[in-house]
């Protein structure tokens, strides 16, 4: 299995686990403040991790042309998205919101295909439909609760659209340091959501729960987002979004194991649909002759067909290794994903 697929599924598993883990902690705080604390735990944890890894603050390595993409991703994903969702949740039932949140994967894929011209064939579309259908079924209300008004649902849809833009913009910088990208997004989203919660009169949990909550955020939002960025690097936006859409199922599975929740027929049907969708994506094979244009970037790599370059420094032969390197034009044919080296037109 491609390691980028494992990154995407790992991101989904960690994110899906955050909700049942929050239940285990017995947190009695609003969704707004809970989201803020989880994001904040993500940002703080990843920032500390990066400082330890680099033995201090080091330049992030983003080029001048990449900063606008990152700033845009932070604005849409860390500010506008959370604010829209929190506003929508005040006017929408939880079941309706959970159904509408499945639109994030669909909108992400549509933007990737229609605006950013990422490749998609019928297998990928079919797999996406199966996975999203499983998510919709899993979140479908089991009672006759009705939607009250349209403002709340529209706000949730706007939040999904903001995160879809965020996902596609993050793809533009996914070759850069995943710890920095995920960390800065977590810090901004955490500050925004916590500020909203406190402004609305909400109170922080007691100190005995604050630390574990931040830890859950570090794992479920922080490490998850790092894996998501790594998956974007290797799979492209639409495919990563599809795999990540399995998070509700994985969260439900963890709830069954940890909390002993009942297993219903809905769970098994949703599991089947998502399993079919993942299988369709895993068995995809996309190959044709394609042209690589010249480019310069910095990311971990091995000296494969795409990395035949000399070094301006003494190299000990260790792979993978990371440094700024140039890609010469090349034309060849082999199976590939729309990764950081295969963002070509078809």
């Amino acid at each position: 299995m491609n390691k980028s697929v494992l990154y995407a599924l790992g991101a989904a598993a960690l994110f899906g686990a955050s909700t049942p883990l929050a239940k285990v902690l017995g947190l009695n705080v609003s969704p707004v403040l809970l989201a803020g604390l989880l994001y904040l735990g993500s940002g703080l944890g990843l920032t500390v991790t990066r400082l330890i890894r680099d033995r201090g603050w080091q330049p992030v390595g983003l080029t001048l042309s990449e900063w606008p993409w990152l700033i845009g991703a932070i604005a849409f994903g860390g500010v506008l998205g959370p604010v829209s969702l929190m506003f929508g949740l005040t006017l929408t039932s939880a079941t309706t919101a959970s159904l509408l949140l499945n639109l994030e994967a669909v909108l992400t894929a549509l933007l990737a295909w229609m605006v950013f011209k990422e490749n998609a064939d019928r297998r990928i579309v079919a797999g996406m439909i199966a996975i999203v259908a499983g998510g919709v079924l899993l979140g479908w209300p089991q009672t006759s609760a009705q939607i009250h008004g349209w403002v709340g649902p529209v706000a949730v849809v706007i939040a999904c659209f903001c995160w879809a833009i965020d996902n596609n913009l993050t793809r533009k910088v996914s070759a850069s340091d995943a710890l920095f990208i995920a960390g800065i997004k977590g810090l901004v989203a955490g500050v925004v959501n916590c500020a909203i919660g406190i402004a609305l009169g909400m109170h922080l949990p007691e100190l005995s729960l604050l630390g574990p909550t931040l830890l859950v955020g570090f794992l479920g939002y922080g490490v998850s987002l790092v894996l998501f960025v790594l998956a974007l690097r290797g799979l492209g936006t639409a495919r990563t979004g599809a795999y990540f859409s399995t998070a509700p199922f994985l969260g439900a599975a963890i709830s069954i194991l940890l909390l002993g929740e009942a297993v219903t027929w809905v769970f098994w049907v949703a599991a089947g649909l998502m399993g079919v969708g993942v299988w369709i994506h895993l068995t995809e094979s996309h190959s044709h002759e394609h042209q690589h244009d010249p480019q310069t970037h910095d990311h971990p790599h091995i000296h494969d067909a795409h990395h035949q370059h000399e070094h301006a420094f003494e190299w000990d032969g260790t792979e993978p290794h990371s440094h700024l390197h140039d890609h010469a034009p090349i034309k060849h044919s082999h199976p590939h994903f729309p990764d950081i080296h295969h963002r070509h037109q078809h």
Side-chain angles (χ1 to χ4, degrees):
M1 184 184 294
N2 187 296
K3 66 178 181 180
S4 296
V5 173
L6 296 177
Y7 290 149
L9 292 175
L14 286 171
F15 183 75
S18 62
T19 298
L21 286 177
K23 289 183 180 179
V24 169
L25 290 175
L27 290 171
N28 187 25
V29 296
S30 72
V32 180
L33 192 56
L34 177 59
L37 292 173
L38 293 173
Y39 275 122
L40 198 59
S42 160
L44 292 173
L46 293 179
T47 299
V48 171
T49 301
R50 184 170 180 266
L51 290 173
I52 294 173
R53 183 200 65 183
D54 296 341
R55 298 179 182 180
W57 185 261
Q58 299 293 332
V60 297
L62 287 172
T63 64
L64 189 61
S65 62
E66 288 177 320
W67 277 103
W69 300 115
L70 179 58
I71 293 171
I74 292 172
F76 281 99
V79 180
L80 298 178
V83 169
S84 297
L85 177 63
M86 296 310 133
F87 176 72
L89 285 175
T90 63
L91 301 172
T92 311
S93 68
T95 51
T96 299
S98 67
L99 282 174
L100 291 173
L101 285 173
N102 286 284
L103 285 174
E104 180 186 345
V106 177
L107 294 172
T108 294
L110 289 176
L111 282 176
W113 297 335
M114 299 176 66
V115 178
F116 293 91
K117 306 303 179 183
E118 184 173 300
N119 165 255
D121 55 30
R122 281 179 286 186
R123 288 186 65 86
I124 294 303
V125 174
M128 169 69 77
I129 291 173
I131 292 172
V132 172
V136 169
L137 183 62
L138 200 62
W140 197 265
Q142 303 299 305
T143 67
S144 58
Q146 301 295 317
I147 298 176
H148 297 284
W150 57 270
V151 177
V154 167
V156 176
V157 172
I158 291 174
C160 291
F161 186 65
C162 287
W163 284 318
I165 295 174
D166 168 24
N167 293 336
N168 279 278
L169 296 183
T170 300
R171 175 188 184 241
K172 292 286 190 178
V173 296
S174 59
S176 302
D177 188 351
L179 275 180
F180 172 76
I181 294 170
I184 192 67
K185 290 173 72 174
L187 284 175
V188 172
V191 169
V192 169
N193 281 273
C194 285
I196 293 174
I198 293 172
L200 294 175
M202 301 164 191
H203 301 287
L204 294 172
E206 55 192 59
L207 288 177
S208 62
L209 291 178
L210 185 58
T213 303
L214 295 176
L215 178 60
V216 170
F218 170 60
L219 296 172
Y221 282 55
V223 177
S224 174
L225 185 52
V226 170
L227 293 175
F228 186 86
V229 173
L230 293 176
L232 284 174
R233 184 183 297 173
L235 296 175
T237 314
R239 290 160 179 80
T240 300
Y243 286 120
F244 192 76
S245 297
T246 61
F249 163 72
L250 296 171
I254 292 169
S255 292
I256 291 169
L257 293 174
L258 289 183
L259 305 178
E261 294 186 359
V263 182
T264 66
W265 66 268
V266 173
F267 174 84
W268 292 115
V269 174
L273 286 169
M274 290 187 170
V276 168
V278 169
W279 175 81
I280 290 173
H281 280 207
L282 287 175
T283 54
E284 174 200 11
S285 181
H286 178 73
S287 178
H288 61 89
E289 186 174 71
H290 53 276
Q291 173 76 42
H292 290 269
D293 295 327
Q295 67 170 321
T296 300
H297 61 180
D298 184 352
H299 67 94
H301 61 275
I302 61 174
H303 282 204
D304 55 15
H306 301 98
H307 297 91
Q308 298 298 315
H309 51 254
E310 299 295 331
H311 294 88
F313 56 89
E314 187 174 347
W315 175 46
D316 61 6
T318 301
E319 291 185 336
H321 62 290
S322 180
H323 61 88
L324 193 68
H325 56 278
D326 297 317
H327 286 268
I330 183 176
K331 179 181 288 187
H332 59 181
S333 176
H334 63 94
H336 59 276
F337 294 105
D339 57 26
I340 57 175
H341 297 112
H342 297 92
R343 295 176 178 172
H344 49 256
Q345 300 294 317
H346 290 77

